[in-house]
Amino acid sequence: MRDIPELGIGIGWRPEIADAVEGLSGVDWVEAVAENLCAGHLPDSLVRLRERGVTVVPHGVSLGLGGAERPDARRLADLAERAEALGSPLVTEHIAFVRAGGPLTASPVLEAGHLLPVPRTRDALRVLCENVRIAQDALPVPLAVENIAALISWPGEEMSEGQFLAELVERTGVRLLIDVANLHTNQVNRGEDPVKALDELPVEAIAYVHVAGGVERDGVWHDTHAHPVTRPVLDVLAELRSRVAPPGVLLERDDDFPPASELAGELAVIRETLTITAHAGSATAMAGPTATATATATGEPATLSHPAAGARRDARPGTLLVAPSVPSVPSVPRQLPSADDTSDSSTDAARERLALREAALLSALVAGTPVPEGFDTRRVRVQSRALAAKRADVIAKVAPELPGILGGGYRPAFLSYAANRPMRAGYRRDALDFAEHLLIEGRPEDPVARRELTSWWQERAGSRPPRRATRLVRRARAALAGR
């Protein structure tokens, strides 16, 4: 496997902040959500950044490498095409499952609409390793996979997160994208020590690092990517930096975008955290740099600190300063799987067992079925509400006419709809299904809004199954007639 280049300091590119990202100084690279890009029609902003020599890394969210099914060939081909169009040195994805059901369970495919944790078991590891190898073989550049945040824990797990990641790297040679905000999230939500995770995982395999903000509500940390980065997250970053100089560090922001000046401030805090830790020698566990304002776990942003004794300020913006005592990141050789992983029958059996477990959990989360035995029911319900809220947010962006038509009734109506109606085929189809559901129920009650919703649905729906369509046409005709 080729070495990962030194990336430097980066920020997640999103259309909403494209102009701000282009104007920020000291940004060496950006990361873009792969599924939001078309290889033949790249956004002008990304084209301009590429022309300036800024590296662009596609970040996938839909492969579902932790799922029981093998990765979809079309999705892999799309990811490969985007990497080539961007001239990217690597691509990244997640250690997560995003759908379940299908042939392995003889049940309908369920879409989560979000990243869900895989159980840290031998079965799940065997399946994940094979899926990663399939992806590696299909991609033209190295793959790195990211640890995710979780609200829930699987019963009967056999490994810690650090052990699971170490085994994955040893068996596949895959690179790691370590999200320090997710390590903090799992500390709050699952009681997992981020220092222990860093001690156990192979830091020499890190391709780059994510830093993001979140917020705590009712004892649960929500990794929102919509709040400022807090001091506890920066402390985990400092802990990681005391072990290794990562090739890159990136700030993620996905919603509630602040002014460019605030993004620049967060990048400066990240840069200073790395610089101070690199020149402070051996840092005490989780101490991190001293901040002028102590951040709390409730989302108070961290602020710039004064440099530690001996810290240099003569580096150019964006440079990761490497302490002489900290190892750089060498190439990670791809390992051959052990004998027990090469058995097709063994892996197939593991896929079937994993498929049943993941389908049962996802059904409880998105279809309202009973919570599987061994799970924390309260946490599953929190996760279920979080998934429904995310669906509502995405639908409002994909189909902004719906909140416009429904007004303040949009969100409660959608959350009620999503409580036991799984997403079937992506967000655009979900928006149509939601509108159809409302019309069949004779809603909204306001006749003007109902006519607007009917017209919106008719312009986009196309053909439907006869029985259901007949019922809807009757409703539509009545609505258009004002009855």
Side-chain angles (χ1 to χ4, degrees):
M1 181 183 291
R2 287 172 285 170
D3 287 346
I4 298 298
E6 291 293 324
L7 295 168
I9 297 292
I11 189 169
W13 182 92
R14 302 293 183 265
E16 297 89 340
I17 54 171
D19 292 341
V21 170
E22 286 190 67
L24 290 171
S25 62
V27 170
D28 303 306
W29 65 291
V30 299
E31 179 192 78
V33 177
E35 287 79 359
N36 293 344
L37 302 177
C38 176
H41 300 86
L42 293 174
D44 291 341
S45 173
L46 285 182
V47 172
R48 288 191 293 269
L49 288 170
R50 289 287 298 124
E51 290 172 347
R52 283 166 39 186
V54 176
T55 299
V56 182
V57 174
H59 185 53
V61 297
S62 65
L63 273 184
L65 292 172
E69 297 284 353
R70 289 173 175 82
D72 179 73
R74 182 66 258 171
R75 294 180 191 274
L76 282 171
D78 288 344
L79 188 55
E81 185 180 25
R82 287 153 186 157
E84 291 179 325
L86 293 165
S88 305
L90 77 162
V91 298
T92 57
E93 247 290 352
H94 298 83
I95 302 171
F97 78 100
V98 297
R99 61 189 65 86
L104 286 174
T105 59
S107 62
V109 175
L110 299 174
E111 293 281 347
H114 196 50
L115 305 165
L116 294 174
V118 301
R120 297 172 196 152
T121 62
R122 293 291 168 187
D123 274 353
L125 179 63
R126 183 177 291 112
V127 171
L128 175 63
C129 287
E130 184 175 77
N131 288 351
V132 165
R133 294 186 200 109
I134 292 170
Q136 289 172 318
D137 290 342
L139 295 170
V141 292
L143 170 69
V145 291
E146 180 181 357
N147 61 304
I148 72 163
L151 290 173
I152 54 178
S153 299
W154 284 84
E157 291 194 311
E158 300 164 344
M159 287 169 274
S160 66
E161 180 161 44
Q163 293 168 338
F164 193 79
L165 295 177
E167 286 273 354
L168 174 64
V169 171
E170 182 179 354
R171 297 186 188 199
T172 65
V174 72
R175 290 285 187 169
L176 296 177
L177 161 50
I178 295 300
D179 190 314
V180 293
N182 291 348
L183 291 178
H184 171 67
T185 300
N186 292 344
Q187 179 184 32
V188 177
N189 294 347
R190 298 166 56 145
E192 297 174 352
D193 184 2
V195 175
K196 180 175 183 289
L198 291 173
D199 285 341
E200 292 176 339
L201 65 83
V203 293
E204 71 278 1
I206 294 175
Y208 63 88
V209 174
H210 273 173
V211 182
V215 65
E216 185 176 350
R217 299 190 190 98
D218 300 325
V220 175
W221 186 268
H222 297 269
D223 182 46
T224 63
H225 294 194
H227 293 80
V229 177
T230 59
R231 176 56 55 188
V233 171
L234 291 174
D235 287 343
V236 181
L237 176 63
E239 189 71 28
L240 183 150
R241 180 61 186 87
S242 72
R243 290 162 167 77
V244 72
V249 178
L250 181 127
L251 171 66
E252 283 191 296
R253 190 70 179 239
D254 292 329
D255 211 343
D256 288 344
F257 299 102
S261 60
E262 291 186 27
L263 294 174
E266 290 204 280
L267 289 170
V269 173
I270 290 170
R271 189 178 292 113
E272 189 184 41
T273 299
L274 295 164
T275 301
I276 292 176
T277 308
H279 291 274
S282 299
T284 56
M286 299 307 293
T290 302
T292 57
T294 301
T296 69
T298 59
E300 181 183 346
T303 58
L304 284 171
S305 65
H306 297 292
R312 291 209 322 262
R313 285 194 179 276
D314 57 351
R316 69 174 178 85
T319 301
L320 302 187
L321 300 180
V322 182
S325 61
V326 179
S328 60
V329 181
S331 175
V332 178
R334 179 167 173 180
Q335 303 294 323
L336 293 176
S338 57
D340 64 329
D341 293 318
T342 60
S343 167
D344 290 341
S345 60
S346 177
T347 304
D348 287 345
R351 286 188 183 279
E352 291 176 2
R353 291 189 293 268
L354 182 62
L356 291 170
R357 296 192 73 191
E358 290 182 341
L361 174 59
L362 186 52
S363 181
L365 289 171
V366 302
T369 59
V371 175
E373 184 177 355
F375 282 95
D376 183 325
T377 300
R378 175 181 169 272
R379 284 297 178 93
V380 171
R381 295 308 179 210
V382 171
Q383 179 72 83
S384 178
R385 290 193 296 271
L387 291 177
K390 180 176 177 60
R391 276 174 72 185
D393 292 340
V394 176
I395 293 300
K397 293 180 180 179
V398 170
E401 301 88 352
L402 293 180
I405 293 170
L406 299 173
Y410 164 74
R411 193 169 188 85
F414 188 89
L415 294 179
S416 175
Y417 156 82
N420 56 10
R421 292 175 180 83
M423 183 165 58
R424 300 185 300 125
Y427 287 110
R428 296 187 189 281
R429 181 74 259 169
D430 202 24
L432 289 170
D433 288 347
F434 169 56
E436 179 179 322
H437 164 74
L438 291 180
L439 291 171
I440 289 175
E441 295 293 319
R443 294 186 288 161
E445 294 181 2
D446 176 62
V448 175
R450 192 161 63 251
R451 283 196 294 271
E452 290 180 5
L453 185 61
T454 300
S455 297
W456 181 89
W457 182 87
Q458 288 180 323
E459 290 171 1
R460 295 163 177 79
S463 60
R464 304 292 291 161
R467 287 185 60 195
R468 201 173 185 187
T470 300
R471 291 160 55 203
L472 185 57
V473 166
R474 291 191 189 125
R475 297 273 190 185
R477 287 173 178 167
L480 289 172
R483 289 182 282 147

